[in-house]
């Protein structure tokens, strides 16, 4: 599918991926499998840029006993191609742990193990990626009044490279969110940096931690800090009475099925809102019931023994953090009485979630040719291709930021293998149609000459 350009032109790819997290690693794996089954002329050429120096996925939350919340079968390839050589089972076989894992009788691997699987898979396609490269600009290449290509500029250690693309696949991931008015410091962390930061406390004998948030990460932080620092008090602050359990029952889990994306996409807006209201507790601000039970059991045991290190400041909100001589002072406001309490701590950890990065933020003037709805949200077609002006012939695909059009599961790991297959199929179909249209145009012009 590639087409040679003059030697002074930038290198052209059928696809350039921005970001190389799990979604675009899965994209690269799908490309590799596709290219292995077609002739050279039908192969899809691709390159990816990743600003990290190597593959990394939520490294700050790879707590040693934390497990995945999705089945290992929802890896990067299996739901798209159950016979793939890049599956989690093939990874286990290569590590000599397949039989041990089967004997474990567990669908949910350790998070650190699944991260190792991601690294293993990314290494299989590392010839497609440039690590340590930050994309700084995307500019249109206009020919005959239409945008024929997009030039992608990336920088690495002061060096600048430009690659040319027929299609972009944007997978820039999530950005940590802090509570309003709270800034990150050496003593105020987002949970995404927990493990990197906590090592700096070794030998300092911390007395108290404050953990803000009511979701899975917050509960994991509370349990981890309580275990790692056996003399410290851990205060959990959240606006509810307690952690809410995740609904992972079999019927509710159908919201993560590939078919659910089709149904959500075609549903009326009021039905979309209902589905979010009904099934938000499958994914948002919820905690595995086993972890909830463990934390409650620990808190009750400490109350019986008269040594309460685990405290829950519920129906409350963090409203401020100020530095002190040897730590921080958190202001916690009761949502019932409005009363404010001051809590001195060594560290405040904000497990307050993430926001989707602006997928079009790097596109500059190209973003003006992308369509938005009445609420200002990007219009995305069923194949994850952004709706654009007809003059923009390049495809722009989103791996994330599509919840408003495709539903809860559209950007989650549960749907990654299926999603990249759909994007690849769309790219192949569009490029084939463009080639056919160009061929017909040549034939028509030749006929006119006659």
């Amino acid at each position: 599918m590639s087409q040679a350009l003059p030697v002074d032109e930038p290198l052209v790819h059928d696809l350039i991926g921005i970001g190389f997290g799990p979604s675009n690693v899965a994209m690269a794996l799908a490309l590799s499998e596709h290219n292995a089954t077609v002739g050279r002329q039908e192969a899809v050429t691709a390159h990816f840029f990743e600003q990290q120096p190597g593959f990394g996925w939520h490294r700050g939350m790879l707590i040693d006993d934390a497990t995945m919340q999705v089945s290992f079968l929802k890896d990067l390839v299996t739901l798209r191609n159950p016979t793939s050589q890049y599956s989690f089972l093939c990874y286990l076989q290569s590590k000599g742990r397949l039989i041990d894992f089967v004997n474990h009788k567990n669908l949910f691997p350790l998070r650190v193990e699944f991260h190792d699987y991601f690294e293993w898979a990314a290494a299989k396609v590392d010839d497609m990626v440039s690590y340590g490269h930050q994309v700084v600009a995307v500019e249109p290449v206009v020919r005959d009044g239409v945008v024929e290509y997009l030039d992608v500029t990336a920088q690495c250690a002061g060096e600048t490279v430009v690659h040319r693309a027929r299609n972009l696949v944007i997978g820039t991931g999530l950005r940590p969110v802090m509570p309003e008015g709270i800034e990150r410091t050496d003593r105020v962390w987002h949970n995404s940096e927990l493990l990197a930061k906590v090592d700096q406390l070794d030998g300092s004998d911390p007395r108290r931690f404050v953990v803000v948030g009511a979701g899975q990460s917050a509960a994991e932080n509370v349990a981890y800090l309580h275990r790692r620092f056996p003399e410290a008090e851990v205060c959990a602050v959240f606006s509810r009475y307690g952690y809410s359990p995740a609904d992972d029952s079999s019927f509710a889990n159908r919201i993560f099925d590939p078919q659910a994306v089709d149904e959500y996409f075609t549903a009326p807006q009021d039905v979309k809102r209902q589905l979010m209201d009904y099934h938000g507790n499958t994914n948002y601000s919820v905690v595995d019931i086993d972890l909830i039970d463990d934390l409650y059991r620990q808190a009750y045991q400490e109350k019986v023994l008269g040594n309460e290190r685990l405290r829950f400041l519920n129906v409350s909100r963090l409203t401020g953090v100020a530095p002190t001589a040897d730590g921080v002072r958190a202001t916690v406001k009761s949502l019932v009485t409005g009363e404010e309490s001051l809590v001195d701590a060594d560290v405040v950890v904000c497990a307050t979630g993430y926001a989707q990065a602006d997928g079009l933020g790097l596109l500059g003037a190209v973003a003006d040719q992308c369509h938005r709805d009445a609420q200002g949200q990007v219009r995305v077609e069923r194949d994850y291709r952004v709706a654009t002006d007809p003059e923009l012939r390049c495809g722009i695909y989103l791996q994330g930021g599509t919840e408003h059009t495709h539903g809860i599961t559209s950007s989650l790991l549960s749907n990654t293998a299926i999603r990249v297959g759909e994007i690849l199929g769309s790219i192949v179909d569009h490029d084939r149609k463009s080639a056919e249209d160009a061929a017909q145009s040549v034939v028509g012009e030749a006929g006119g000459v006659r």
Side-chain angles (χ1 to χ4, degrees):
M1 296 175 66
S2 59
Q3 176 182 341
L5 290 178
V7 293
D8 59 339
E9 297 278 11
L11 185 62
V12 179
H13 305 281
D14 295 313
L15 180 162
I16 286 182
I18 302 177
F20 204 62
S23 291
N24 269 347
V25 171
M27 188 79 243
L29 298 176
L31 284 165
S32 178
E33 292 183 335
H34 169 81
N35 290 345
T37 62
V38 299
R40 184 173 181 179
Q41 292 300 316
E42 291 77 32
V44 178
T45 60
H47 197 75
F48 298 82
F49 290 111
E50 169 55 51
Q51 65 180 356
Q52 295 186 97
F55 179 85
W57 178 71
H58 296 305
R59 285 188 178 276
M61 280 300 295
L62 297 180
I63 297 172
D64 53 8
D65 63 347
T67 58
M68 298 294 294
Q69 273 76 59
V70 297
S71 165
F72 71 89
L73 293 171
K74 293 183 176 181
D75 58 20
L76 299 176
V77 294
T78 295
L79 295 188
R80 175 182 56 80
N81 177 14
T83 64
S84 174
Q85 63 179 311
Y86 304 120
S87 70
F88 180 70
L89 292 180
C90 288
Y91 155 80
L92 288 174
Q93 179 71 8
S94 74
K95 298 293 183 178
R97 293 200 305 268
L98 179 58
I99 300 302
D100 293 333
F101 184 84
V102 172
N103 290 339
H104 193 33
K105 299 180 181 179
N106 192 347
L107 289 173
F108 307 103
L110 289 169
R111 194 178 299 157
V112 67
E113 182 177 35
F114 222 63
H115 187 278
D116 192 55
Y117 158 66
F118 287 155
E119 288 188 296
W120 173 86
K124 299 289 186 181
V125 286
D126 62 1
D127 59 321
M128 294 189 192
V129 59
S130 292
Y131 288 110
H133 283 70
Q134 182 176 6
V135 173
V136 295
V138 175
E139 297 176 344
V141 179
V142 181
R143 293 180 177 174
D144 298 326
V146 300
V147 179
E148 197 75 31
Y149 305 103
L150 296 173
D151 278 352
V152 179
T153 302
Q155 293 180 343
C156 176
E159 299 291 329
T160 298
V161 296
V162 179
H163 287 220
R164 185 161 287 180
R166 295 182 178 87
N167 300 276
L168 291 185
V169 178
I170 301 174
T172 47
L174 303 171
R175 300 293 181 265
V177 172
M178 296 291 286
E180 185 177 356
I182 307 298
E183 300 291 336
R184 283 198 269 185
T185 69
D186 289 342
R187 296 281 185 167
V188 181
W189 309 339
H190 188 271
N191 69 279
S192 59
E193 54 189 348
L194 176 72
L195 294 186
K197 291 283 192 180
V198 80
D199 286 341
Q200 301 172 12
L201 298 179
D202 284 344
S204 64
D205 194 25
R207 297 165 296 125
R208 180 181 290 133
F209 295 91
V210 172
V211 179
V212 183
Q216 180 73 22
S217 294
E220 289 177 356
N221 280 207
V222 169
Y224 172 76
L225 293 170
H226 185 268
R227 179 176 72 248
R228 175 155 180 175
F229 299 98
E231 302 301 320
E233 182 180 282
V234 181
C235 300
V237 178
F238 42 76
S239 57
R240 308 178 182 193
Y241 271 95
Y243 298 115
S244 297
D247 185 355
D248 62 352
S249 58
S250 300
F251 285 113
N253 272 342
R254 287 181 170 177
I255 194 67
F256 301 113
D257 290 353
Q259 182 182 347
V261 178
D262 290 322
E263 293 167 345
Y264 189 94
F265 186 82
T266 57
Q269 282 301 125
D270 60 330
V271 176
K272 283 182 167 71
R273 286 191 294 269
Q274 288 176 8
L275 290 173
M276 284 294 186
D277 291 341
Y278 291 153
H279 297 293
N281 65 343
T282 58
N283 187 60
Y284 304 114
S285 297
V286 289
V287 182
D288 287 345
I289 188 63
D290 290 343
L291 180 54
I292 294 175
D293 290 343
D294 287 344
L295 288 172
Y296 192 90
R297 187 181 303 111
Q298 183 67 46
Y300 184 77
Q301 177 181 326
E302 291 179 355
K303 184 172 288 189
V304 170
L305 298 177
N307 179 27
E308 296 184 54
R309 291 197 301 115
L310 196 53
R311 295 175 56 199
F312 296 96
L313 308 181
N314 57 3
V315 200
S316 300
R317 178 174 293 131
L318 180 74
T319 58
V321 180
T324 62
D326 57 353
V328 288
R329 178 165 293 163
T331 302
V332 179
K333 181 178 180 179
S334 168
L335 299 181
V336 175
T337 66
E339 180 182 356
E340 292 187 339
S341 302
L342 300 179
V343 181
D344 288 328
D346 294 84
V347 170
V348 171
V349 181
C350 296
T352 42
Y354 298 81
Q356 183 66 48
D358 180 6
L360 306 187
L362 292 170
L363 298 187
V366 176
D368 296 335
Q369 295 183 271
C370 298
H371 297 173
R372 295 181 181 268
D373 60 22
Q375 288 72 45
Q377 295 176 306
V378 181
R379 283 184 51 201
V380 187
E381 306 296 345
R382 175 59 188 85
D383 57 2
Y384 301 95
R385 184 178 175 120
V386 175
T388 65
D389 293 343
E391 293 78 18
L392 179 56
R393 290 185 178 175
C394 303
I396 299 172
Y397 295 84
L398 298 183
Q399 298 235 56
T402 58
E403 189 177 89
H404 62 293
T405 52
H406 291 64
I408 292 175
T409 189
S410 65
S411 58
L412 298 180
L413 186 60
S414 292
N415 194 51
T416 295
I418 299 295
R419 181 175 66 253
V420 299
E422 292 173 341
I423 292 174
L424 177 57
S426 175
I427 290 173
V428 170
D429 289 344
H430 275 86
D431 286 357
R432 181 180 294 122
K433 185 177 184 302
S434 296
E436 291 172 354
D437 290 346
Q440 289 176 0
S441 176
V442 171
V443 170
E445 291 175 1
V449 171
R450 290 192 188 95

